[in-house]
Amino acid sequence: MIQEELASPPALQLFRNQTDEICLTLDQQEIIRLKKEKNAILLCHNYQIEPIQQVADYVGDSLGLARQAASTDADIIVFCGVHFMAETAKILNPSKTVLLPDLNAGCSLSDSCPAEQLAEYKAKNPNTFVIAYVNCSAAVKALSNVICTSGNAVEIVNQVPEEKEILFVPDQNLGQWVIGRTGRKMKLWPGSCYAHVLFTKESIERCKMEYPEAPVVAHPECVQTVRDLADEVCSTEKMVHYCKSHPSDTFIILTETGMMHRLTRELPNKAFVAGPTGNCACNDCRFMKMNTVPKLLECLRSLKPEISMKNDLIEKSKRSIERMLEWSK
Ligand code: 13P
Ligand code: SF4
């Protein structure tokens, strides 16, 4: 894949695939060999760096990754994403070894909803039905009735019985978008993703002026004024399907920059403009970018660092995840 620096201002980055041939490095080849030797599966989120995506067994969104984790028969799951994603894989596979190359790969959105605060809210509002976006800790999942991802949030909310009062945690932007799509009243936890809120109405309007014909595709974690400029709002996996079926050959993509690798690989004849933020042409999530090829290689060699969780927490948090999988078959 090549990145073309275009005239500034505004400084935009256009991503397109130049060649189908991928030449793997020795480290990447060793990762593939170790996976085979240890019967390990490498699950990778769309926001990971390109060299990691190239050696993964599955690359996708949170929903796809949870489904893969629930159905794998590998002995070891190596998760290249952030901590809550690897934790979800462990909850669904307590007897398997689940590895995350860097245990510090957290998530600002997950951090915005501490379990103690949610427990306090529930104590004061005992009849509340809690829907938690999967970007939260296992302790928050244990306090929730059902989990959702950006890929199935509308479907999940539509299945909650009418009489229930819903609290949606932790992403207020996704929650607000779901309210608009379902017409369902929900209380929203005041959390947000530090990266997605960096897109601004002004930065996207500038981008649209340069690419007036390109449809704008935004992640629901973006703020409403930005979502309002989008032709489509959806999860990262649905972005691939939308761009594939749309006749346009160029798209403006408002999400983390790693997504461009997935899009250019799957849609080699199309081009993607990374949505600029107020002060940068790209938008990397610092947590997603903590996983690197050397860390992944070392993790496969030493089978560390491993996600470890108490059985009690696994049991309590599993219910809400399993309910999500049942409700979104
Ligand atoms: P997706 O499930 O749409 O891939 O989103 C995950 C995420 O962390 C978005 O910031
Ligand atoms: Fe969390 Fe935002 Fe990073 Fe996704 S992009 S992992 S929501 S901080």
Side-chain angles (χ1 to χ4, degrees):
M1 185 176 70
I2 55 156
Q3 272 169 250
E4 289 170 20
E5 287 285 346
L6 300 176
S8 57
L12 297 178
Q13 278 191 303
L14 184 76
F15 291 76
R16 65 167 88 246
N17 195 320
Q18 233 201 359
T19 167
D20 287 338
E21 258 177 57
I22 298 172
C23 198
L24 295 182
T25 64
L26 289 178
D27 280 357
Q28 285 177 302
Q29 291 174 34
E30 180 63 359
I31 287 167
I32 292 171
R33 191 191 69 75
L34 284 166
K35 279 195 302 172
K36 205 167 169 198
E37 181 187 290
K38 304 197 178 195
N39 190 24
I41 185 170
L42 174 51
L43 302 181
C44 172
H45 189 264
N46 287 320
Y47 297 164
Q48 292 295 290
I49 57 170
E50 191 172 29
I52 292 184
Q53 293 197 21
Q54 286 167 343
V55 293
D57 297 293
Y58 177 83
V59 183
D61 70 353
S62 307
L63 181 60
L65 289 162
R67 285 189 176 135
Q68 290 290 322
S71 64
T72 184
D73 53 12
D75 296 319
I76 297 168
I77 298 173
V78 188
F79 211 107
C80 282
V82 290
H83 193 275
F84 74 82
M85 296 177 173
E87 208 174 47
T88 302
K90 181 70 182 175
I91 295 165
L92 292 167
N93 292 280
S95 62
K96 291 190 201 292
T97 301
V98 177
L99 307 169
L100 178 65
D102 189 329
L103 287 183
N104 292 318
C107 168
S108 68
L109 186 50
S110 175
D111 292 346
S112 66
C113 185
E116 308 73 47
Q117 283 179 24
L118 178 58
E120 245 173 67
Y121 182 96
K122 281 188 67 176
K124 287 186 194 144
N125 303 275
N127 295 324
T128 300
F129 188 94
V130 180
I131 304 181
Y133 184 32
V134 69
N135 296 38
C136 63
S137 66
V140 165
K141 289 183 174 82
L143 291 167
S144 303
N145 297 86
V146 66
I147 302 304
C148 72
T149 71
S150 55
N152 63 15
V154 169
E155 200 182 346
I156 296 291
V157 170
N158 274 333
Q159 290 176 71
V160 177
E162 280 296 318
E163 69 282 2
K164 300 277 184 201
E165 274 194 16
I166 302 176
L167 170 70
F168 188 92
V169 304
D171 190 6
Q172 58 187 314
N173 293 306
L174 173 67
Q176 196 183 45
W177 175 70
V178 174
I179 291 173
R181 293 287 305 272
T182 60
R184 189 72 197 256
K185 265 197 190 159
M186 300 196 295
K187 290 216 168 81
L188 303 177
W189 193 267
S192 57
C193 159
Y194 91 93
H196 282 85
V197 300
L198 293 177
F199 295 117
T200 65
K201 181 173 184 282
E202 295 69 30
S203 68
I204 305 312
E205 277 173 348
R206 277 202 306 273
C207 187
K208 273 169 73 94
M209 272 163 64
E210 199 153 331
Y211 288 93
E213 303 299 326
V216 176
V217 187
H219 196 276
E221 288 173 17
C222 298
V223 297
Q224 180 159 11
T225 48
V226 166
R227 294 195 312 269
D228 287 347
L229 296 172
D231 297 276
E232 176 70 357
V233 177
C234 60
S235 74
T236 56
E237 193 62 33
K238 289 184 182 169
M239 286 181 182
V240 179
H241 303 293
Y242 177 82
C243 297
K244 193 181 237 169
S245 57
H246 197 285
S248 178
D249 58 9
T250 306
F251 298 84
I252 297 169
I253 305 292
L254 310 187
T255 194
E256 211 269 357
T257 320
M259 189 63 208
M260 308 301 152
H261 309 311
R262 172 84 194 279
L263 286 166
T264 50
R265 202 168 51 250
E266 296 221 4
L267 306 172
N269 300 322
K270 301 202 177 201
F272 303 92
V273 183
T277 65
N279 52 18
C280 187
C282 57
N283 197 357
D284 280 332
C285 165
R286 64 174 176 270
F287 303 109
M288 284 281 179
K289 273 17 189 202
M290 283 182 183
N291 297 317
T292 62
V293 169
K295 285 185 205 169
L296 171 57
L297 182 56
E298 183 46 34
C299 165
L300 267 161
R301 280 186 179 136
S302 62
L303 300 187
K304 282 189 199 116
E306 184 179 351
I307 301 285
S308 65
M309 294 174 70
K310 295 217 167 82
N311 286 342
D312 181 45
L313 183 57
I314 289 181
E315 279 314 310
K316 286 185 180 150
S317 51
K318 196 181 208 144
R319 290 191 289 258
S320 55
I321 300 174
E322 286 183 341
R323 185 171 287 159
M324 168 187 83
L325 293 173
E326 272 163 34
W327 285 15
S328 63
K329 268 183 183 151

